[in-house]
């Protein structure tokens, strides 16, 4: 799978990660101490995700759930108060700056998904793997977990087809807005939608119903609109 250009390049990713690290490192150390004091170790949660070209890597997050008390205990009761705060503010994602530094992720791109989800991608959906996964992305600022997986994938594919520096700047500005006013962290009812089962052909192949994509001809006005939306 060939890399797709047009957005923030590798040098830009490293520069943004380095600048963010000035704040992230001391804040991350404080969060690590708080996790250690409230939940014990480990401080970090590692999970295998699929990156560019289908290559797998271990994504890093701050731990937000205590250990299971019994084998079938669901996830929701295990989220601590600190964990809920970290999720709401997206601070649990801070360690992924290390994934950016390692080249496994970029600042902007489709969020990396689980290998067991990727194996069910159609050929069309595998186009999502053409770029490095990102800390934030077009689907993240257009609904996040409040929209279905097919819709998110279509948004990511649109981003890849229209990738540009202006669009990346817009996404960064909208990300700041989302962080200030968190939305879409969980779906309706507090449960995030799962990836459509392999037998649910209609859910995988159905065209998105709530996705509204801007026309490519509007690209020269993206930066101006980004400022207006972020204000």
């Amino acid at each position: 799978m060939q890399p797709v250009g047009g957005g923030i390049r590798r040098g830009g990713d490293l520069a943004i990660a380095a600048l963010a690290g000035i704040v992230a490192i001391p804040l991350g150390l404080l969060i690590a101490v708080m996790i250690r004091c409230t939940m014990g170790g480990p401080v970090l949660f590692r999970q295998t995700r699929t990156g560019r070209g289908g290559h797998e890597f271990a994504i890093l997050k701050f731990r937000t759930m205590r250990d299971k008390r019994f084998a079938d205990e669901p996830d929701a009761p295990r989220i601590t108060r600190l964990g809920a705060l970290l999720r709401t503010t997206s601070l649990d994602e801070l360690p992924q700056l290390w994934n950016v530094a390692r080249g496994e992720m970029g600042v902007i791109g489709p969020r990396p998904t689980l290998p067991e989800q990727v194996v069910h991608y159609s050929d069309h959906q595998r186009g999502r793997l053409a770029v490095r996964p990102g800390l934030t992305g077009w689907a993240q600022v257009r609904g996040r977990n409040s929209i279905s997986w097919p819709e998110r994938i279509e948004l990511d594919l649109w981003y890849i087809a229209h990738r540009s520096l202006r669009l990346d700047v817009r996404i960064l500005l909208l990300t700041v807005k989302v962080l200030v006013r968190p939305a879409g962290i969980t779906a309706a009812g507090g449960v995030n939608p799962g990836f459509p089962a392999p037998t649910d052909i209609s859910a995988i192949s159905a065209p998105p119903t709530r996705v509204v994509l801007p026309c490519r001809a509007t690209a020269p006005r993206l930066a101006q609109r980004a400022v207006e939306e972020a204000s």
Side-chain angles (χ1 to χ4, degrees):
M1 187 173 296
Q2 295 298 317
V4 177
I8 294 177
R9 304 287 180 147
R10 176 68 179 147
D13 285 336
L14 291 174
I16 293 173
L19 289 173
I22 296 174
V23 174
I25 291 176
L27 180 58
L29 290 174
L30 175 61
I31 292 172
V33 171
M34 294 173 68
I35 292 174
R36 189 77 181 183
C37 291
T38 56
M39 286 185 278
V43 168
L44 295 178
F45 170 73
R46 292 174 171 84
Q47 188 177 53
T48 301
R49 297 291 180 96
T50 302
R52 184 172 66 173
H55 298 291
E56 296 180 359
F57 67 98
I59 198 173
L60 301 177
K61 292 186 178 185
F62 280 123
R63 185 176 167 214
T64 58
M65 294 190 294
R66 60 169 172 75
D67 293 333
K68 289 185 177 182
R69 291 173 179 163
F70 50 90
D72 297 328
E73 185 177 15
D75 289 345
R78 297 170 53 213
I79 301 174
T80 65
R81 289 185 179 180
L82 175 60
L85 175 62
L86 294 177
R87 290 188 178 200
T88 300
T89 58
S90 295
L91 288 174
D92 61 321
E93 311 282 358
L94 271 184
Q96 288 164 38
L97 289 171
W98 180 243
N99 291 121
V100 175
R102 287 172 55 90
E104 297 159 336
M105 294 178 61
V107 173
I108 298 175
R111 287 296 293 167
T113 48
L114 298 167
E116 52 263 39
Q117 296 171 329
V118 174
V119 295
H120 299 306
Y121 280 2
S122 66
D123 289 340
H124 170 68
Q125 291 171 331
R126 286 192 68 83
R128 193 174 185 266
L129 306 177
V131 300
R132 285 189 181 91
L135 298 175
T136 185
W138 187 235
Q140 291 294 102
V141 299
R142 303 298 290 187
R144 204 171 178 176
N145 289 316
S146 65
I147 57 179
S148 69
W149 269 108
E151 289 174 305
R152 273 187 265 178
I153 291 175
E154 289 302 318
L155 285 167
D156 288 330
L157 291 172
W158 182 90
Y159 164 76
I160 292 171
H162 296 79
R163 196 177 181 210
S164 69
L165 181 58
R166 288 180 178 178
L167 182 55
D168 281 357
V169 169
R170 182 185 183 191
I171 292 172
L172 285 175
L173 292 173
L174 290 175
T175 297
V176 173
K177 182 178 178 180
V178 169
L179 291 175
V180 173
R181 300 176 183 176
I185 297 172
T186 58
V191 179
N192 292 335
F195 194 82
T199 55
D200 191 0
I201 303 300
S202 61
I204 296 176
S205 60
T209 58
R210 297 169 52 196
V211 177
V212 179
L213 302 177
C215 175
R216 185 161 190 159
T218 63
R221 296 192 296 275
L222 284 176
Q224 178 181 351
R225 289 173 56 189
V227 174
E228 292 173 353
E229 292 193 24
S231 62

